[in-house]
């Protein structure tokens, strides 16, 4: 009888741990999708802004751009202009995931916008 009770407890603990692991996996995948969504930009938005536009007006059209993917998006791009703050985005066009849009701001204005292929 005691052996049976131990088995039931062990099976219950294993079930709870399994459910928790599945929940953590679903939560983690959701967070990755949310983070990726913060870096996707429509080509029309890229084309609608011009160098010299006020930073606030440009940023109002952009997603946050804050993501763990930032370092990957930087690779293969040209050097950043000195003294600027840049944000990187992936083109939503055709879902190729290889076209990167970079916006660099300096002195309250869009100082540079660049489109390049991710390496």
């Amino acid at each position: 009888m005691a052996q049976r009770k131990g088995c039931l407890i062990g099976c219950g603990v294993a079930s709870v741990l399994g459910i928790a692991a599945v929940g953590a996996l679903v939560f983690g995948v959701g967070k990755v999708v949310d983070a990726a969504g913060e870096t996707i930009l429509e080509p029309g938005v890229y084309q609608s802004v011009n160098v010299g536009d006020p930073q606030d007006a440009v940023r109002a059209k952009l997603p946050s751009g804050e993501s763990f993917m930032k370092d990957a998006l930087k690779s293969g791009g040209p050097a950043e202009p000195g003294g600027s703050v840049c944000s990187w985005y992936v083109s939503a066009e055709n879902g190729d995931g290889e076209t990167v849009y970079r916006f660099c701001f300096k002195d309250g204005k869009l100082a540079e916008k660049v489109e390049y292929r991710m390496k």
Side-chain angles (χ1 to χ4, degrees), residues 1 3 9 13 21 23 31 37 42-43 46 48-49 56-57 68-70 78 80 85 95 103 105 110 119:
M1 186 74 168
Q3 199 173 23
I9 291 171
V13 169
K31 286 296 183 186
E42 293 293 330
Y46 176 80
S48 73
V49 298
D56 292 342
F68 63 89
M69 297 171 47
K70 188 169 160 179
E80 297 170 41
V85 175
F103 298 89
F105 302 94
L110 180 61
K119 289 185 178 178

Side-chain angles (χ1 to χ4, degrees), residues 18-112:
I19 291 169
V22 168
L25 179 64
V26 169
F27 178 76
V29 168
K31 286 296 183 186
V32 168
V33 169
D34 288 346
E38 292 300 317
T39 62
I40 295 175
L41 187 69
E42 293 293 330
V45 175
Y46 176 80
Q47 294 163 358
S48 73
V49 298
N50 298 300
V51 171
D53 286 352
Q55 179 175 345
D56 292 342
V58 174
R59 287 210 182 266
K61 296 180 178 184
L62 305 174
S64 76
E66 291 305 315
S67 167
F68 63 89
M69 297 171 47
K70 188 169 160 179
D71 289 334
L73 297 177
K74 287 181 180 183
S75 70
E80 297 170 41
S84 66
V85 175
C86 301
S87 296
W88 291 260
Y89 303 90
V90 176
S91 173
E93 187 172 63
N94 300 328
D96 69 2
E98 294 180 6
T99 300
V100 176
Y101 299 130
R102 184 183 77 191
F103 298 89
C104 295
F105 302 94
K106 185 175 181 179
D107 300 327
K109 296 187 185 272
L110 180 61
E112 178 185 69

